[in-house]
């Protein structure tokens, strides 16, 4: 903490930040899901304990989707590095998202809202850092539950 307090952060370029956020929203809009039936769905939990993986995996299966496991599902996303080491933060986030995608996920449920916000806000930068498009829908637990409920009711 003391080292963080001593570090003088450069003043961010607000114009470039706004452009990056707009590009992130546009990139995310191309990867929305309307239903889960037949999709591969992964669950990114990091260090969250609620809900349990078993609960979410059961809900994924009951919605007619396929559970996708990936090696970084419990690793940190790089969120704590935003504002200090953007490049490393984007690399960690991209590695997590690509791990889910490369293992067959079409959608990723993110347990922690702060992680989801970071992925969404910096999506264009994350893709740029890795040099690859990431066609992966990102969902919070509430959105997933609503989609799963719609699948069960249909």
């Amino acid at each position: 903490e003391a080292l963080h307090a001593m570090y003088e952060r450069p003043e961010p370029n607000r114009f470039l930040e706004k452009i990056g956020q707009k590009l992130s929203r546009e990139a995310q809009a191309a990867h929305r899901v309307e239903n889960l039936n037949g999709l591969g769905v992964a669950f990114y939990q990091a260090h969250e304990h609620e809900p349990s993986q078993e609960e979410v995996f059961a809900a994924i299966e009951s919605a007619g989707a396929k559970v996708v496991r990936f090696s970084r599902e419990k690793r940190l996303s790089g969120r704590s590095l935003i504002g200090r080491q953007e490049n490393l933060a984007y690399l960690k986030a991209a590695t997590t998202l690509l791990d889910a995608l490369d293992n067959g996920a079409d959608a990723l449920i993110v347990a922690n809202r702060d992680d989801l916000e970071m992925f969404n806000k910096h999506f264009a930068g994350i893709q740029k850092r890795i040099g690859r498009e990431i066609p992966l829908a990102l969902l919070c637990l509430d959105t997933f539950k609503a989609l799963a409920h719609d699948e069960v009711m249909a």
Side-chain angles (χ1 to χ4, degrees):
E1 287 299 317
L3 287 175
H4 292 296
M6 292 177 9
Y7 176 72
E8 292 183 27
R9 295 184 184 139
E11 188 63 35
N13 186 328
R14 298 289 181 207
F15 177 71
L16 292 177
E17 187 176 300
K18 287 181 181 180
I19 289 174
Q21 288 175 1
K22 182 175 180 355
L23 291 173
S24 289
R25 285 192 298 272
E26 289 172 0
Q28 281 294 114
H31 308 298
R32 301 226 188 273
V33 293
E34 298 298 321
N35 67 56
L36 300 170
N37 195 22
L39 294 181
V41 179
F43 178 51
Y44 176 66
Q45 191 172 21
H47 292 290
E48 296 294 314
H49 299 291
E50 292 295 323
S52 71
Q53 276 189 324
E54 293 76 24
E55 282 180 65
V56 176
F57 291 161
I60 291 170
E61 289 174 345
S62 69
K66 179 180 72 170
V67 173
V68 174
R69 302 294 306 259
F70 64 108
S71 63
R72 293 193 53 90
E73 60 194 20
K74 290 190 177 238
R75 303 264 174 99
L76 294 178
S77 65
R79 178 173 40 100
S80 63
L81 298 171
I82 295 291
R84 292 178 293 150
Q85 299 252 338
E86 302 269 323
N87 200 33
L88 182 58
Y90 291 169
L91 181 61
K92 287 186 74 157
T95 303
T96 298
L97 296 175
L98 287 175
D99 188 21
L101 180 68
D102 292 344
N103 279 288
D106 299 301
L108 179 67
I109 303 165
V110 181
N112 184 297
R113 285 198 180 273
D114 293 332
D115 286 336
L116 179 63
E117 182 181 319
M118 188 271 295
F119 288 144
N120 285 328
K121 182 176 180 183
H122 300 283
F123 197 73
I126 292 167
Q127 289 185 119
K128 182 179 177 186
R129 172 60 183 95
I130 203 72
R132 181 174 160 194
E133 182 182 0
I134 305 173
L136 185 67
L138 302 176
L139 309 171
C140 68
L141 282 168
D142 294 335
T143 303
F144 164 71
K145 288 175 185 175
L147 286 170
H149 181 265
D150 291 347
E151 291 296 318
V152 171
M153 297 305 285

